[in-house]
Structures are given as structure tokens and as C-alpha cells.
Amino acid sequence: RKTNVLAAVLEADGPHIVRVRRGPEAGREVSVLRLALSDAAGGLTRLAASRDVADGWADAGVRRGDVVHLESESVGLTRVSFSLLLRA
């Protein structure tokens, strides 16, 4: 099921570099970007993006006040395409 979300960025934190502690990539450093988002209905959620997604969104210059479009092919939003629609 495809999911589309149009949201305003209320807060953008990062990207921060963190070290993976467990698993096959233990010891590797990855980027993490945290966002607080709100939709037209006033719903509020937090979203954490990591690795190349965090770097890509940070390179796009996502910041407070921007309007973004998130699209996913799966309900869990594990793979999300991103579009910056409006710059504040």
C-alpha cells in the first residue's frame, strides 16, 4: 500500500554522526537526522532518517518551516522518497 504524507517541518536536528554498536556494521559511523513533522490536521510525529537518507535530506537543506512530501511503497515507511516542496 502506497503512503503519501504532506507535512511541515517543525524541527530539524542533525545530521549527527553516531557509531553502530551491534550487528554486522558494528563500529561503523553513520549519519542520523531527526525531524518533527506536522500535517494539516495538526498531527505531530517524529521521524529519524539514517545513513544516506539523512545525508541526502541534509544536503537538500531541510530546515524548520519547510513543507515536505514523503512517499512510501510500504506501510512501515522503511523506504521513503522525499521532495522539498516549499522553502520558508
Side-chain angles (χ1 to χ4, degrees), residues 2-60:
K2 186 181 246 186
T3 303
N4 287 290
V5 177
L6 184 63
V9 177
L10 301 179
E11 183 181 306
D13 182 28
H16 300 287
I17 304 299
V18 297
R19 187 177 306 273
V20 177
R21 292 185 184 184
R22 298 182 196 151
E25 295 185 14
R28 183 171 177 217
E29 291 184 340
V30 297
S31 299
V32 175
L33 175 67
R34 292 181 178 92
L35 301 173
L37 304 171
S38 179
D39 63 5
L44 178 66
T45 191
R46 294 199 176 270
L47 176 74
S50 61
R51 296 182 167 83
D52 56 337
V53 174
D55 292 333
W57 292 3
D59 289 346

Side-chain angles (χ1 to χ4, degrees), residues 1-4 71-81:
R1 181 176 107 187
K2 186 181 246 186
T3 303
N4 287 290
E71 182 178 297
S72 174
E73 293 294 329
S74 68
V75 176
L77 295 177
T78 55
R79 297 236 179 239
V80 177
S81 65

